[in-house]
Amino acid sequence: MNFDIVIVGGGLAGLALAAALRRSSLSVALVEGRAPVFAEDWDTRIYAISPANARFLDELGAWRHLAAERMEAVRAMEIHGDAGGRLDFTAYGSGVSELAWILESSLMQRELWETVKRQGNLTLLCPARPQALTIGAEAAQLTLADGRSLAARLVVAADGADSWTRAAAGIDVRFDPYDQLGVVANFATELPHRDTAFQWFRQDGVLAWLPLPGNRISMVWSAAQDPGRELLALEPAALCARVAEAGGQRLGALELLTPAAGFPLRLMRAPRSVAPRLALIGDAAHTIHPLSGHGINLGFQDAQVLAGVLCDKPGHVDCGDLALLRGYERARKEEVVTLQTLTDSLHDLFGPAAGSLRRLRNFGLNLTNTLPVVKNLLVRYALAS
């Protein structure tokens, strides 16, 4: 089977790229190991989607079909330091209708999956798993575990942080573990959140509450390994009490909606995001600490920019041409490096090892809170990412 582009990985970034190529004349194949399973219960994988990426998903035709009763706009945000520092943002103060949208990963994946299933220029290969990859001068050859062979001008690795495709292409990456667990769970709240997201930089990690529809929130607690495992071992009532106390009872008593789950946190940097006949997007290209909430936003922007480069290329230019792909790499490098550096620095600044800087970092939060121009610059950057 011959294609212009083969995308390996049917997660959010891979699906978004496939959908963004729907109006091109390029032939596309999407290789995914298993079809998504959609549960009716609330998903513990919750993302904050920037307005820029909401517009991108709308351009793909997916946003308008998302269930409105499963989404919540963020119109205010409170950030608390560990010694009285505070920083507040509001959509009204920034002249926008919302700062972000909070919704489930599975909700977005379902709509994007249905979108690409109807796509005329796309062949969906699922279930299918890659077994071997050879990069040649004229084409890349991807052999699947069932013996099928795919030839492509360009292979896109969209198969996550532990990307098989990236490794098969010989691109070594650097992982820097944070020695933390990201503990996630959803709760019903006694008090209304009023479309507000909360974040606390604590001595025992970074705690975030993201608003869900009704009196519900999604929690992400980035905690050191031992405290993180302690959280996962708590009985539901004890976990609710612990999380409510950590947030200063800001939303009253909590009731657990979904069991807590944990995943290790690590920073991943790739020396390059392109090679001849290969491009990396999403977590295959980069990971960052979840305290910024920008992980999937970076992946969506990767998909949008790469699709733009491929759709706008002259007809005689090969999809896998390295000079063409470097245009994508250059366009994405600044934002990725900036956010990786920023989130890594914030993690270090508010970590236990930086205890001597406690007063200074909280002073910085309070100072920024009094400078509307600086606050608006921060918000504008977040909205555009």
Side-chain angles (χ1 to χ4, degrees):
M1 292 184 284
N2 297 313
F3 300 94
D4 291 309
I5 301 166
V6 170
I7 302 168
V8 182
L12 292 175
L15 288 170
L17 174 62
L21 294 169
R22 72 197 183 286
R23 293 196 181 118
S24 74
S25 60
L26 301 168
S27 58
V28 183
L30 179 65
V31 177
E32 171 55 35
R34 61 180 179 178
V37 177
F38 308 112
E40 294 303 317
D41 295 333
W42 287 92
D43 191 347
T44 53
R45 294 187 66 184
I46 303 290
Y47 289 117
I49 304 301
S50 71
N53 283 306
R55 290 191 295 272
F56 173 49
L57 292 173
D58 191 43
E59 292 168 3
L60 300 183
W63 188 261
R64 70 202 70 171
H65 297 297
L66 296 173
E69 67 273 13
R70 308 281 290 205
M71 303 163 56
E72 188 70 11
V74 177
R75 294 192 168 88
M77 185 169 185
E78 294 180 10
I79 300 174
H80 299 266
D82 55 354
R86 177 164 172 167
L87 183 57
D88 298 287
F89 298 103
T90 66
Y92 178 80
S94 301
V96 296
S97 56
E98 63 276 323
L99 298 173
W101 289 92
I102 308 299
L103 61 157
E104 300 155 278
S105 172
S106 58
L107 185 66
M108 290 184 287
Q109 191 171 20
R110 178 190 308 182
E111 287 307 322
L112 288 169
W113 186 261
E114 292 302 317
T115 297
V116 302
K117 280 170 60 177
R118 301 187 297 267
Q119 193 166 318
N121 68 334
L122 183 133
T123 299
L124 184 57
L125 301 173
C126 179
R129 296 186 181 278
Q131 187 175 64
L133 175 65
T134 303
I135 305 292
E138 299 299 322
Q141 200 80 20
L142 183 69
T143 303
L144 304 181
D146 60 10
R148 287 179 291 179
S149 181
L150 314 179
R153 297 292 183 183
L154 171 66
V155 172
V156 178
D159 47 350
D162 295 311
S163 170
W164 175 93
T165 312
R166 185 188 64 220
I171 297 180
D172 294 325
V173 298
R174 173 182 168 185
F175 285 104
D176 292 313
Y178 283 112
D179 294 324
Q180 289 183 325
L181 286 178
V183 180
V184 296
N186 297 329
F187 299 87
T189 65
E190 179 184 9
L191 303 176
H193 51 63
R194 304 187 190 283
D195 300 334
T196 302
F198 305 89
Q199 189 171 52
W200 291 270
F201 287 91
R202 296 168 47 88
Q203 290 295 300
D204 54 4
V206 183
L207 172 65
W209 292 356
L210 304 176
L212 292 174
N215 283 14
R216 303 182 186 94
I217 59 168
S218 175
M219 176 204 76
V220 183
W221 194 334
S222 305
Q225 294 279 352
D226 288 343
R229 283 189 285 268
E230 290 174 10
L231 289 171
L232 293 171
L234 291 175
E235 293 296 323
L239 178 64
C240 289
R242 180 77 169 274
V243 174
E245 184 276 331
Q249 307 291 334
R250 187 68 174 77
L251 297 178
L254 303 180
E255 177 186 349
L256 191 64
L257 295 177
T258 58
F263 53 92
L265 301 182
R266 54 187 179 169
L267 175 68
M268 188 273 284
R269 293 186 175 97
R272 52 200 168 109
S273 57
V274 299
R277 308 211 171 279
L278 181 76
L280 313 180
I281 66 171
D283 285 354
H286 43 68
T287 65
I288 62 175
H289 196 283
L291 67 86
S292 73
H294 267 283
I296 193 54
N297 288 303
L298 288 178
F300 281 147
Q301 288 298 296
D302 290 346
Q304 185 174 30
V305 172
L306 181 56
V309 168
L310 294 171
C311 291
D312 294 342
K313 73 175 185 64
H316 67 277
V317 175
D318 190 324
C319 288
D321 180 74
L322 185 57
L324 177 74
L325 298 175
R326 279 177 173 159
Y328 155 71
E329 183 178 52
R330 287 192 299 271
R332 296 299 299 136
K333 187 172 184 178
E334 180 181 353
E335 182 184 27
V336 170
V337 171
T338 297
L339 279 172
Q340 284 186 323
T341 303
L342 176 62
T343 54
D344 194 48
S345 298
L346 283 172
H347 167 267
D348 292 343
L349 179 62
F350 282 89
S356 60
L357 300 176
R358 189 179 184 193
R359 186 174 299 176
L360 179 62
R361 65 200 182 198
N362 284 272
F363 171 77
L365 283 178
N366 288 328
L367 177 62
T368 304
N369 212 24
T370 66
L371 301 173
V373 174
V374 176
K375 287 171 62 174
N376 284 336
L377 283 174
L378 293 173
V379 171
R380 293 292 177 186
Y381 182 79
L383 296 179
S385 300

